[in-house]
Amino acid sequence: MAPRTCSPLNVSTGEVLGECRPTRNGKDFLAFLKKAVKPHAGKDIHVVLDNLSTHTTPEVKEWLVKNPHVHFHFTPVGSSWLNQIEIWFGILTWQSIRRGTFSSVNVLIKQIRDYINSWNTAAKPFTWTATAGEVLAKVRLVATNVKKLVNNNSN
């Protein structure tokens, strides 16, 4: 079984706090979330997430009510590229995992941990290079193409 990872990216520093667990459920996510926000006590924290159901369990919702300084922002379905940690996962995969041979899950987890440690020694925040206009133009283009596909398939 492949490890499930939780990895927030601090967008102001580029540092990654990563953890590999055998499961991916609301309990694991909440434990990791508590660990991730603890060093930032008293500050507003904005967390960008995908729409995975583990991010919205009753326990997570209850915790958010008790921690109003933590704000969740969900990326639209199919827009993971907006979440910078997804970009980082692509870098991790390309630079460290893609062509690797791992004799066990533990060896893979060690490789991921070593990569995170190495990354954090020279972490830098990502810089958006596209303007809002360029991004919105691409979104409009995709929306137009999806409409065409839907219209063609409904005939």
Side-chain angles (χ1 to χ4, degrees):
M1 170 185 280
R4 307 289 188 202
T5 58
C6 293
S7 299
L9 171 74
N10 183 330
V11 296
S12 64
T13 66
E15 290 179 305
V16 173
L17 171 66
E19 207 170 270
C20 296
R21 295 178 176 240
T23 59
R24 183 169 48 189
N25 57 39
K27 182 180 175 185
D28 289 340
F29 172 69
L30 186 54
F32 184 72
L33 180 64
K34 290 175 181 178
K35 182 178 178 180
V37 302
K38 190 175 183 176
H40 309 286
K43 298 178 184 173
D44 272 344
I45 300 167
H46 295 268
V47 183
V48 178
L49 302 158
D50 59 17
N51 289 286
L52 195 63
S53 62
T54 59
H55 301 149
T56 56
T57 63
E59 295 80 14
V60 171
K61 288 179 180 179
E62 183 180 317
W63 184 85
L64 281 172
V65 168
K66 294 176 184 173
N67 294 272
H69 64 288
V70 178
H71 310 276
F72 281 6
H73 305 278
F74 294 95
T75 57
V77 174
S79 299
S80 62
W81 56 273
L82 289 171
N83 189 343
Q84 292 183 6
I85 194 63
E86 297 295 341
I87 295 166
W88 184 85
F89 279 134
I91 295 168
L92 163 71
T93 300
W94 182 256
Q95 292 184 353
S96 184
I97 296 174
R98 175 148 311 185
R99 299 199 191 279
T101 303
F102 306 100
S103 57
S104 70
V105 172
N106 288 337
V107 172
L108 173 59
I109 290 170
K110 182 180 180 331
Q111 179 73 16
I112 293 169
R113 285 186 182 139
D114 289 348
Y115 187 82
I116 291 170
N117 291 336
S118 174
W119 174 274
N120 285 340
T121 62
K124 293 182 186 123
F126 289 112
T127 303
W128 290 101
T129 57
T131 66
E134 290 169 332
V135 171
L136 291 173
K138 287 182 182 182
V139 169
R140 283 191 288 276
L141 179 63
V142 169
T144 300
N145 288 336
V146 167
K147 275 185 183 176
K148 286 179 185 176
L149 285 170
V150 168
N151 289 338
N152 288 339
N153 286 332
S154 63
N155 293 333

